[in-house]
Amino acid sequence: MMQTHTRPAVDVAELQEMLEDHAPVTVLDIRTAEDRAEWAIPGSLHVDAYEALKAGDPDALAGAAIPMDAPVVTICGAGKVSITAMEQLRARGYDARSLSGGMKAWSLAWNSAEAPAPDSAATVIQVRRTGKGCLSYLIGSDGEAVVIDAALPPEVYQELAAEHGWVITAVLETHIHADHLSRSRLLAEVTGAALYLPAQDRVSYPFTPIDAGEALTIGSSRLVALHTPGHTLESTSYLLDDSALFTGDTLFLTGVGRPDLEASPEQARDRARLLHASLARLTALPPETVLLPGHTSEPAPFDNRPIATTLAEVKERVTMLGLSEDAFLETILARIPPTPPNHAQIVALNEAGALPEGDPTDLEAGANRCAVS
Ligand SMILES: [Fe+2]
């Protein structure tokens, strides 16, 4: 008989650590298929038992093939129905616990991977908010580091920098985000680092504007700003030592940025035209340049493998990149995905440089929808 944990709850940090350590665990997702399709935990087992559990069916999980030889962590949307699942499994002899706060809380879970930057002396750490799909970057060289698109609490970046012996000297954004609450202003405040944003008049707090062509020094490396409007007008990509390209929401591994958020249909059309030109400039860079995007549409596994590819590869994958301007406009505008939840409130907070009172995941719940593929 398995030893049963006396504490019935697992919090996000604990489950994150178990997955990071590849500890034996069955993550059991009991949500509906529809909810699971939106976002899930990599490697989790799905049993669509939500309605049966909610209805009090004592055999809601009886037919499911759930291994007995490892602890089980039950997951639902907010951490309530997963308690019922845990109780039923415990009654059947499982070592089961429930994830506190469910997938909403999991939104803040993260992992990291070292990303390639072949011709650069810098080390690039891709910090993946796996519960949400946001990718941020810590780039370190000779004791100094910069952070691009901080999407997690400051201590995540501070601890990673400390592990590598780096001091965070600058914090940058690729654009004003609509899908998550930026932590860049807070990170700059906490660390005393300079805060650089693409030149624009959207935000109402102090920052150092970064203009096209400007370069920042990180130890012995150089990060050059390339203005790549389209997803938003200020969208900026950063090129590290002519080797790795941080594209924010302009270009992804399997798609391009959506041009329609906070825009009228006419503005979206104009932005799509700008995006076409920006993408043409980026894809004209050397084909071996490594593409490091601002998002992934799949949860990042705990595999330490970077979400990255070369420009040559992305040109093959993303057929939209080969289209003429007219065909590109027609295609992208026909493929715009549903608007992400709460984007107007998130943009307003990011323009104000504020985080909401209380739990930020209330606003940030839901998948990333910044890409068109
Ligand atoms: Fe975005």
Side-chain angles (χ1 to χ4, degrees):
M1 186 83 207
M2 206 181 323
Q3 178 90 50
T4 302
H5 282 89
T6 45
R7 229 163 18 87
V10 175
D11 65 15
V12 167
E14 200 177 343
L15 180 58
Q16 179 177 309
E17 202 179 308
M18 287 161 91
L19 296 175
E20 190 79 59
D21 295 346
H22 303 284
V25 60
T26 302
V27 178
L28 181 68
D29 186 345
I30 53 93
R31 294 175 301 156
T32 62
E34 195 187 354
D35 283 350
R36 182 172 167 88
E38 180 90 346
W39 207 255
I41 298 180
S44 54
L45 174 68
H46 183 222
V47 177
D48 192 339
Y50 190 80
E51 297 303 336
L53 286 162
K54 239 179 100 184
D57 176 356
D59 296 322
L61 296 167
I66 304 162
M68 289 286 314
D69 58 356
V72 178
V73 174
T74 60
I75 315 280
C76 69
K80 289 212 172 75
V81 179
S82 59
I83 294 175
T84 309
M86 169 199 75
E87 286 166 351
Q88 291 196 4
L89 291 176
R90 285 187 164 222
R92 287 167 49 201
Y94 282 90
D95 174 9
R97 292 193 285 166
S98 160
L99 179 68
S100 305
M103 287 302 288
K104 192 164 87 68
W106 184 254
S107 157
L108 282 169
W110 62 276
N111 59 41
S112 67
E114 190 170 326
D119 296 324
S120 172
T123 300
V124 179
I125 310 289
Q126 183 178 60
V127 185
R128 300 97 71 87
R129 189 169 160 187
T130 177
K132 175 80 189 152
C134 307
L135 305 177
S136 49
Y137 296 91
L138 177 69
I139 308 165
S141 172
D142 291 339
E144 287 181 7
V146 307
V147 176
I148 298 179
D149 287 339
L152 285 157
E155 48 281 14
V156 171
Y157 305 98
Q158 289 178 289
E159 282 166 23
L160 285 169
E163 276 171 30
H164 287 84
W166 301 329
V167 172
I168 298 172
T169 54
V171 175
L172 291 82
E173 292 263 274
T174 55
H175 65 294
I176 311 307
H177 297 278
D179 64 296
H180 69 268
L181 295 159
S182 170
R183 272 71 165 184
S184 288
R185 186 187 185 197
L186 182 62
L187 178 61
E189 270 172 18
V190 168
T191 57
L195 175 62
Y196 293 94
L197 304 185
Q200 37 70 39
D201 55 10
R202 294 179 62 185
V203 308
S204 55
Y205 56 89
F207 65 94
T208 305
I210 189 150
D211 289 306
E214 241 180 272
L216 283 184
T217 303
I218 318 157
S220 51
S221 285
R222 254 165 68 91
L223 194 63
V224 179
L226 310 172
H227 185 213
T228 48
H231 173 61
T232 66
L233 292 177
E234 77 283 355
S235 283
T236 295
S237 301
Y238 298 101
L239 182 60
L240 174 69
D241 295 331
D242 293 320
S243 177
L245 181 65
F246 303 88
T247 53
D249 290 0
T250 297
L251 177 58
F252 303 102
L253 263 53
T254 56
V256 302
R258 64 188 296 165
D260 64 303
L261 291 179
E262 313 295 300
S264 68
E266 297 72 38
Q267 288 170 329
R269 206 174 179 78
D270 290 343
R271 286 206 216 156
R273 196 172 281 119
L274 289 168
L275 182 63
H276 182 262
S278 295
L279 292 169
R281 282 174 33 233
L282 290 182
T283 52
L285 290 169
E288 64 277 13
T289 307
V290 174
L291 169 68
L292 295 167
H295 290 300
T296 154
S297 51
E298 300 282 327
F302 286 75
D303 59 3
N304 305 112
R305 283 167 55 185
I307 294 163
T309 190
T310 59
L311 281 180
E313 177 69 32
V314 87
K315 270 158 79 174
E316 293 219 338
R317 280 192 207 163
V318 183
T319 48
M320 256 194 284
L321 294 174
L323 298 178
S324 67
E325 186 187 89
D326 284 351
F328 179 85
L329 257 64
E330 199 180 315
T331 308
I332 193 171
L333 295 173
R335 290 188 191 170
I336 301 281
T339 304
N342 307 325
H343 71 98
Q345 285 156 281
I346 291 175
V347 166
L349 283 163
N350 284 337
E351 288 179 345
L355 288 163
E357 302 271 317
D359 184 356
T361 62
D362 286 337
L363 270 181
E364 292 181 313
N368 258 298
R369 294 205 199 112
C370 273
V372 183
S373 53

